[in-house]
């Protein structure tokens, strides 16, 4: 028999699904009705939970979801039968039957897969990835100059050709223009196949980057604002963690591993039950503040595996005690800010926090979602 203790979580990542719906609408409005908005839900929806996030996006009107691999695709398919699911990379030449039996769309990344698609039967829907300056996956522009390959592509036409920008976050970067022009040439070559170049950052590079479809992940989760004067995206995640213990520390004492912080006054400190195992970046030690009962308290010393320490000397004694939650991510201090303080990418912070914390969902369904669903059923 296994024993388990039931108690409330010490670390809670709160995910606002209404904000995700709003971000999807926002991106849709930005690109206009001619451009399809596909949602990227790879890596467990950037740590936020594949099935819940997918359901939210489908309710918001999304009809195509991208996942990283077949494992994620199969999990998604077991929850949603009607929706189109595309797999960024997972060996169609080995696993073709899985794609076929579960109605999944492969992204073809090399000639081996293209050959497998062309021998799988006329009806095999697939997307084609073309390499234009990222040097990751995809057929090279050179590959497309081979006549036999072009003939294959004409006979077994991909429904979408895609490529990925390396420098979309830098609106002025010359690499964007180079990749767009290379992609434009491929797009013209493969007409009437539709095209998709932009991920989240590319949405803000302007119309000439949108082609027929954008593939957005980060923007939906509130973590891309590249090029935007005012950030139209809503933050999605809030993070809080519980104070476990408090103590008085005399002036001149060290706090935490490496003694990277030393008190300059007699201090009151609180030990909070969140550490790098929960996804809090180690590199934000001594750099951020948490909110506590309307006060601001600095994180002091290194972050350890399960804990961090904050200075609560200036917080009135009655306002905090063991059991009180402190807020690490709020509307005013977002994943973007934490990532900037830690010197890492916001995507990295979000996926790690999502994997390491207890997730709690707000606004699970909206009245408009229920309305859309009932309308869909009636049609
Ligand atoms: C992850 C990924 C995306 C989504 O990127 P975001 O910047 O998070 O929107 C789109 N396309 C490809 C190929 C990706 O790997």
């Amino acid at each position: 028999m296994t024993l388990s203790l039931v108690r409330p979580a010490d670390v809670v990542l709160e995910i606002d699904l209404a904000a995700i719906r709003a971000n999807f609408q926002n991106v849709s409005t930005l690109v206009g009705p001619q451009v399809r908005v596909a949602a990227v839900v790879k890596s467990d929806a950037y740590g936020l939970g594949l099935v819940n996030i997918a359901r939210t996006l489908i309710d918001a009107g999304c009809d195509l979801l991208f996942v990283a691999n077949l494992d994620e695709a199969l999990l998604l398919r077991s929850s949603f039968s009607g929706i189109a699911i595309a797999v960024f990379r997972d060996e169609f030449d080995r696993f073709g039957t899985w794609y076929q039996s579960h109605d999944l769309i492969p992204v073809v990344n090399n000639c081996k897969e293209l050959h497998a698609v062309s021998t799988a039967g006329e009806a095999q829907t697939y997307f084609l990835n073309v390499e234009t300056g990222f040097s990751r996956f995809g057929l090279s522009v050179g590959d497309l100059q081979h006549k036999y390959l072009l003939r294959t592509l004409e006979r077994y036409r991909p429904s979408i050709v895609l490529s990925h920008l390396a420098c979309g976050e830098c609106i002025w970067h010359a690499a964007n223009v180079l990749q767009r022009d290379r992609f434009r040439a491929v797009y013209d070559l493969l007409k009437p196949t539709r095209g998709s170049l932009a991920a989240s950052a590319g949405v803000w590079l302007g119309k000439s980057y949108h082609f027929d479809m954008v593939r957005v992940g980060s923007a939906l989760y509130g973590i891309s604002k590249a090029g935007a004067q005012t950030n139209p995206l809503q933050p999605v995640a809030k993070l809080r963690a519980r104070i476990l213990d408090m103590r008085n520390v005399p002036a001149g004492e060290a706090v935490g591993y490496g003694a990277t912080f030393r008190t300059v006054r007699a201090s009151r400190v609180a030990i909070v039950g969140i550490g790098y195992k929960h996804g809090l970046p180690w590199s934000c030690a001594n750099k951020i503040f948490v909110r506590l009962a309307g006060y601001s308290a600095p994180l002091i010393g290194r972050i350890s595996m399960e804990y961090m320490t904050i200075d609560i000397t200036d917080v009135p004694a009655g306002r905090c005690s063991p059991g009180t939650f402190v807020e690490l991510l709020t509307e005013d201090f977002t994943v973007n800010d934490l990532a900037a303080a830690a010197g890492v990418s916001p995507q990295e912070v979000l996926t790690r926090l999502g994997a390491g914390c207890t997730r709690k969902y707000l606004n699970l369904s909206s009245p408009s979602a229920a309305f859309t669903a009932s309308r869909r059923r009636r049609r």
Side-chain angles (χ1 to χ4, degrees):
M1 195 178 90
T2 52
L3 289 174
S4 78
L5 198 56
V6 179
R7 63 166 144 216
D10 285 334
V11 185
V12 178
L13 186 73
E14 205 172 74
I15 299 154
D16 184 353
L17 299 178
I20 293 182
R21 280 191 288 271
N23 290 339
F24 181 83
Q25 302 303 353
N26 217 314
V27 171
S28 303
T29 307
L30 248 153
V31 296
Q34 306 305 320
V35 178
R36 189 178 186 185
V37 179
V40 178
V41 292
K42 66 188 179 195
S43 305
D44 200 23
Y46 292 42
L48 300 180
L50 182 57
V51 171
N52 277 329
I53 301 304
R55 180 172 296 117
T56 303
L57 291 163
I58 294 166
D59 283 350
C62 181
D63 65 355
L64 170 59
L65 300 166
F66 278 91
V67 292
N69 52 43
L70 269 176
D71 306 69
E72 289 186 337
L74 294 172
L75 177 61
L76 209 51
R77 179 55 83 217
S78 67
S79 301
F80 306 101
S81 51
I83 195 82
I85 301 172
V87 180
F88 272 132
R89 199 216 70 89
D90 214 346
E91 303 172 89
F92 185 83
D93 47 314
R94 278 179 74 194
F95 302 123
T97 52
W98 287 86
Y99 283 92
Q100 291 172 329
S101 56
H102 292 85
D103 190 20
L104 305 169
I105 303 169
V107 172
V108 161
N109 286 298
N110 55 52
C111 294
K112 237 162 90 180
E113 285 185 305
L114 183 62
H115 177 73
V117 156
S118 68
T119 52
E122 301 271 351
Q124 180 60 51
T125 302
Y126 75 101
F127 299 165
L128 180 72
N129 187 17
V130 175
E131 168 45 47
T132 56
F134 197 110
S135 299
R136 198 164 63 180
F137 306 117
L139 266 66
S140 68
V141 174
D143 287 336
L144 295 179
Q145 269 140 25
H146 291 295
K147 283 224 164 54
Y148 74 90
L149 216 151
L150 267 183
R151 272 201 304 273
T152 307
L153 289 171
E154 270 160 23
R155 192 144 167 234
Y156 306 95
R157 192 164 284 289
S159 45
I160 296 177
V161 58
L162 59 95
S163 192
H164 198 39
L165 293 171
C167 306
E169 305 250 327
C170 294
I171 200 158
W172 44 264
H173 208 295
N176 293 327
V177 178
L178 177 70
Q179 284 197 265
R180 183 199 58 196
D181 292 350
R182 283 175 175 167
F183 187 70
R184 167 69 59 187
V186 172
Y187 181 71
D188 290 340
L189 187 71
L190 297 184
K191 261 178 193 156
T193 293
R194 284 162 293 145
S196 174
L197 176 63
S200 295
V203 167
W204 280 274
L205 292 178
K207 276 260 159 257
S208 70
Y209 287 82
H210 296 167
F211 292 85
D212 304 296
M213 183 178 91
V214 294
R215 314 177 304 272
V216 290
S218 303
L220 303 175
Y221 316 123
I223 51 172
S224 175
K225 51 181 175 182
Q229 301 290 311
T230 53
N231 185 1
L233 303 170
Q234 296 185 19
V236 163
K238 288 184 184 166
L239 177 65
R240 57 174 190 266
R242 211 188 284 276
I243 293 177
L244 303 178
D245 204 355
M246 312 199 300
R247 67 190 309 115
N248 295 319
V249 180
E253 280 297 321
V255 175
Y257 284 116
T260 62
F261 183 88
R262 203 166 279 281
T263 54
V264 295
R265 58 178 177 174
S267 302
R268 182 103 179 122
V269 305
I271 295 92
V272 183
I274 182 170
Y276 56 79
K277 97 154 186 201
H278 302 97
L280 189 64
W282 188 82
S283 53
C284 72
N286 292 308
K287 288 189 181 148
I288 62 167
F289 291 80
V290 305
R291 300 292 294 169
L292 166 56
Y295 291 83
S296 198
L299 192 168
I300 56 173
R302 279 201 186 146
I303 291 161
S304 50
M305 194 178 285
E306 303 263 357
Y307 315 113
M308 67 172 195
T309 308
I310 56 175
D311 182 342
I312 53 166
T313 314
D314 298 327
V315 181
R319 305 304 292 274
C320 62
S321 55
T324 306
F325 274 107
V326 305
E327 296 169 274
L328 288 100
L329 294 179
T330 63
E331 241 148 64
D332 302 320
F333 190 79
T334 66
V335 173
N336 295 310
D337 301 316
L338 176 60
V344 297
S345 86
Q347 287 83 354
E348 179 179 346
V349 171
L350 194 65
T351 48
R352 288 183 188 233
L353 285 173
C357 302
T358 300
R359 296 181 296 215
K360 185 180 166 203
Y361 295 95
L362 297 187
N363 302 311
L364 261 167
S365 69
S366 71
S368 72
F371 176 69
T372 320
S374 70
R375 256 201 340 190
R376 233 185 256 143
R377 265 198 304 275
R378 257 184 260 132
R379 257 187 287 135

